[in-house]
Amino acid sequence: MRCKKAYTYIVIEERTIDEVLSMKRAIIDVRSPGEFDKGHIPDAINIPLLSNAERAEVGTAYKQESREKAVSLGYKFVTPKFRDLIRQSFQAAPDGKVIVHCWRGGMRSQAFAEHLAESGFSDIKIIIGGYKAYRNQVLDDLAEPGALKILGGYTGSGKTPILAELKAMGEQVIDLEGMAHHKGSAFGGIGEGESPTVQQFENNLHSEWSRLDRQRPIWLEDESHNIGPVRIPLAFYRAMRTSHLYFVDIPKEERARHLVKEYSSFDHRALVEALQRISKRLGGWRKQKALEYLEVENYYEVALITLQYYDKFYQKSLNKRTSEEVTHIKLSTTDHRSNAVNILKELRNEES
């Protein structure tokens, strides 16, 4: 740890990512809004020194003129804002204890930390290597995810509610689809909020993962590499694909009824658009029948038709695993709690 600048009442210190993430204090990200929106440390507060346009202008000056010109231009943009920036910082950290970072832990964070110190902040930490170092650690950590248990099953099996029940029973669970704001299928974005960026999804996944005990099993749903617009980090996904799969085998009719409960209340146009996205895979006749059933709100028949496609799609993925890698659990209903109980019974039987 290196002391950067000392005052009679303040020390600005550099800290590693591990040290920072273990601290319970406000994290101020001074990068531009565009940088922050692309990806940030979960719970960090964006107090940008430069707007997106100003950052672009400073970058142009650096490339086309000189570093000195870029620094001078940066100070020109930032200086009139300092009073407001300090005010926002006190709102974020009224106790005067704060972590500050920029992209690489360089001039932006160092200069701003000094101004915070001069304005009365009592305890300031700067992240060594900045956000770039944080991102490197996120990807390194997720490459070794620990003991994973994968919950699989055909579409409509209620895997996400089962995971919620497992969590309520004390199991460690990560809800990838909840983080992605997407259920993975053509219908998966209906009723969900805006998905995070790929980078932010990775950051959120790391945040959840880092709170768990890697010596104990961590349950996740069987997923494709992509969940809607986001993507599971490749090393983490490979670990999922080589982890043991607990496959719940539930009758198609039960799963269709579950899908009706889940989707029938959503906007008709959104359902039509989702059907159109898989129309080629359904085939012309099935697509037409599904649209006709949808028009008269016969959602059960729509679900049965779409399951013909999704079951075949999932079976292809299932066939890539050996029989030793999969535990098949036959279940008769989509009663999520009883299904979670049965899954844990199967797990305990295997362990004994």
Side-chain angles (χ1 to χ4, degrees):
M1 182 174 67
R2 296 182 288 119
C3 175
K4 296 301 296 180
K5 184 170 182 177
Y7 296 84
T8 57
Y9 57 93
I10 178 64
V11 175
I12 299 174
E13 299 174 331
E14 289 184 335
R15 291 297 182 97
T16 64
I17 295 297
D18 282 333
E19 290 175 311
V20 163
L21 295 181
S22 67
M23 296 177 181
K24 303 297 182 184
R25 62 174 64 194
I27 300 176
I28 293 179
D29 183 334
V30 300
R31 296 176 302 148
S32 67
E35 293 173 285
F36 184 86
D37 290 343
K38 183 177 180 181
H40 55 268
I41 298 174
D43 299 325
I45 301 160
N46 189 209
I47 302 180
L49 302 187
L50 299 173
S51 69
N52 294 335
E54 289 167 345
R55 176 175 174 265
E57 194 170 339
V58 169
T60 299
Y62 183 87
K63 291 178 181 178
Q64 296 183 357
E65 298 185 53
S66 66
R67 181 179 184 277
E68 291 72 22
K69 175 63 177 179
V71 170
S72 175
L73 185 59
Y75 272 110
K76 176 184 176 182
F77 287 142
V78 173
T79 300
K81 306 177 187 178
F82 267 126
R83 179 174 296 179
D84 187 54
L85 294 172
I86 298 300
R87 177 188 60 78
Q88 292 180 58
S89 300
F90 270 116
Q91 289 178 341
D95 60 358
K97 298 178 180 180
V98 69
I99 297 163
V100 178
H101 77 85
C102 56
W103 168 235
R104 292 180 180 172
M107 181 172 294
R108 282 185 288 180
S109 56
Q110 296 284 348
F112 190 58
E114 292 177 5
H115 281 284
L116 290 177
E118 292 165 355
S119 300
F121 274 74
S122 59
D123 190 344
I124 305 168
K125 315 296 184 190
I126 296 174
I127 298 177
I128 297 173
Y131 180 72
K132 183 178 181 180
Y134 166 77
R135 282 290 300 160
N136 289 337
Q137 180 149 342
V138 164
L139 297 177
D140 286 347
D141 288 347
L142 291 179
E144 300 179 7
L148 305 181
K149 299 292 185 185
I150 308 302
L151 177 63
Y154 294 123
T155 299
S157 296
K159 297 183 288 294
T160 298
I162 291 174
L163 286 177
E165 294 292 348
L166 288 172
K167 186 173 183 179
M169 294 174 185
E171 296 295 308
Q172 298 192 119
V173 170
I174 294 178
D175 180 5
L176 294 173
E177 292 184 353
M179 288 183 188
H181 298 296
H182 202 285
K183 296 184 176 69
S185 71
F187 296 82
I190 298 175
E192 301 291 331
E194 183 179 356
S195 293
T197 65
V198 172
Q199 193 176 111
Q200 191 57 43
F201 173 79
E202 294 171 345
N203 294 348
N204 294 342
L205 172 58
H206 180 268
S207 179
E208 287 293 314
W209 172 89
S210 63
R211 297 188 181 103
L212 303 178
D213 179 359
R214 264 83 74 196
Q215 303 306 310
R216 293 178 53 214
I218 299 171
W219 287 90
L220 304 101
E221 183 172 339
D222 193 20
E223 303 284 359
S224 299
H225 190 195
N226 286 36
I227 309 176
V230 306
R231 185 171 59 249
I232 301 171
L234 184 57
F236 193 91
Y237 176 69
R238 285 173 175 163
M240 290 175 62
R241 294 298 300 172
T242 56
S243 297
H244 197 80
L245 176 70
Y246 293 83
F247 181 84
V248 293
D249 193 350
I250 299 172
K252 182 182 294 184
E253 294 75 17
E254 285 294 312
R255 293 185 283 116
R257 281 188 275 273
H258 173 73
L259 291 174
V260 171
K261 291 178 184 177
E262 189 169 9
Y263 288 103
S264 61
S265 62
F266 290 122
D267 181 71
H268 179 84
R269 288 171 298 179
L271 296 173
V272 171
E273 289 171 3
L275 273 174
Q276 297 287 4
R277 284 194 286 272
I278 59 170
S279 61
K280 289 184 179 179
R281 298 180 180 93
L282 285 177
W285 182 84
R286 289 194 182 97
K287 170 201 169 184
Q288 188 57 41
K289 292 300 293 183
L291 290 172
E292 289 174 6
Y293 283 130
L294 186 57
E295 195 61 36
V296 296
E297 299 184 359
N298 189 340
Y299 300 111
Y300 177 74
E301 292 295 338
V302 174
L304 285 177
I305 290 173
T306 58
L307 286 177
Q308 292 182 53
Y309 158 66
Y310 281 114
D311 286 5
K312 288 180 181 178
F313 182 81
Y314 191 91
Q315 187 63 49
K316 288 181 180 178
S317 175
L318 192 61
N319 290 341
K320 295 177 182 178
R321 294 178 180 266
T322 65
S323 57
E324 292 79 16
E325 295 173 328
V326 183
T327 297
H328 290 267
I329 307 171
K330 276 197 169 294
L331 301 168
S332 59
T333 73
T334 53
D335 183 320
H336 312 308
R337 181 158 185 84
S338 67
N339 289 349
V341 169
N342 285 323
I343 291 166
L344 289 182
K345 283 182 180 178
E346 189 67 39
L347 177 64
R348 304 302 178 237
N349 289 337
E350 290 181 347
E351 293 175 339
S352 61

